[in-house]
Amino acid sequence: SWGNLSLPDPTSINLGHILHPEDGTEPAEEPFTEGEKAKVAAKYVLSEHLWEYLQSYAEIHRSKGNGFGYGLVSRKDRSRTLSARYYKDGSEILVRRRGPGRPRRLTPRECSRLMGFDNGSEEKDRFRIPVSDSQAYKQFGNAVVPKVVEEIFRIMLPHLTRIRGH
């Protein structure tokens, strides 16, 4: 807790809570996951060309002493900020895949979970995503996390009530 602000324990939160398990414990949700084990669809895996480009671009900047790079994460990690430009190349948050190979982007469902729009794993608890992946990435990247808004309102409410009472 910071003042009146209630913060979650950062050690209890990691990407494992929002990533598709890909082991059959979650039903497939097309177009994001497919098959008996609900594996993430191949379209979210970076192309060989894009992956090579991101690696070489990051290396050029590293050699110049700049901080640019892609964000490669696994289930035990925490995430960088999701931005509205995520649809371009996904470089801020790239998910390591089991075994060798290219990383993948988050699916729009995972973005929904990351930003706190899903209220559970049941279909009825999922935020409806009726737009294209590009639009979903832009909208989630521009969104404010609902729990943050709730916490701000919780802190402001007594002050607003006091002002209104005068």
Side-chain angles (χ1 to χ4, degrees):
S1 182
W2 179 67
N4 282 339
L5 186 61
S6 177
L7 298 174
D9 175 7
T11 62
S12 69
I13 300 170
N14 59 37
L15 285 169
H17 291 93
I18 65 112
L19 296 177
H20 296 290
E22 300 188 88
D23 62 3
T25 59
E26 169 184 275
E29 181 190 4
E30 291 188 10
F32 314 128
T33 59
E34 56 198 16
E36 186 178 302
K37 295 211 176 209
K39 295 278 189 187
V40 171
K43 70 179 183 172
Y44 297 104
V45 177
L46 268 57
S47 70
E48 190 69 45
H49 176 74
L50 178 56
W51 180 226
E52 287 175 10
Y53 170 78
L54 289 173
Q55 290 176 96
S56 65
Y57 193 70
E59 184 53 43
I60 289 168
H61 280 274
R62 242 189 318 278
S63 68
K64 292 180 180 179
N66 297 335
F68 174 83
Y70 49 84
L72 195 57
V73 297
S74 67
R75 294 182 172 279
K76 65 182 179 353
D77 294 320
R78 282 182 270 160
S79 174
R80 288 184 177 185
T81 301
L82 180 66
S83 71
R85 69 167 302 287
Y86 192 74
Y87 76 96
K88 291 184 178 183
D89 59 22
S91 64
E92 304 95 308
I93 309 168
L94 295 175
V95 180
R96 277 190 177 93
R97 294 168 53 229
R98 293 181 181 113
R102 301 179 308 272
R104 67 173 179 84
R105 299 173 195 219
L106 295 171
T107 68
R109 172 62 56 217
E110 291 167 326
C111 291
S112 178
R113 293 172 181 166
L114 177 65
M115 296 300 288
F117 285 90
D118 284 18
N119 293 319
S121 59
E122 300 295 316
E123 186 174 349
K124 67 178 178 46
D125 299 324
R126 290 188 205 140
F127 187 80
R128 196 168 151 267
I129 306 172
V131 295
S132 69
D133 286 359
S134 292
Q135 282 300 310
Y137 289 137
K138 288 178 188 178
Q139 291 171 9
F140 287 124
N142 277 326
V144 178
V145 176
K147 292 275 186 204
V148 171
V149 174
E150 289 173 15
E151 184 62 11
I152 291 168
F153 184 73
R154 183 191 66 78
I155 292 168
M156 289 179 60
L157 186 58
H159 303 287
L160 295 172
T161 304
R162 191 185 78 242
I163 291 169
R164 192 161 187 243
H166 285 100

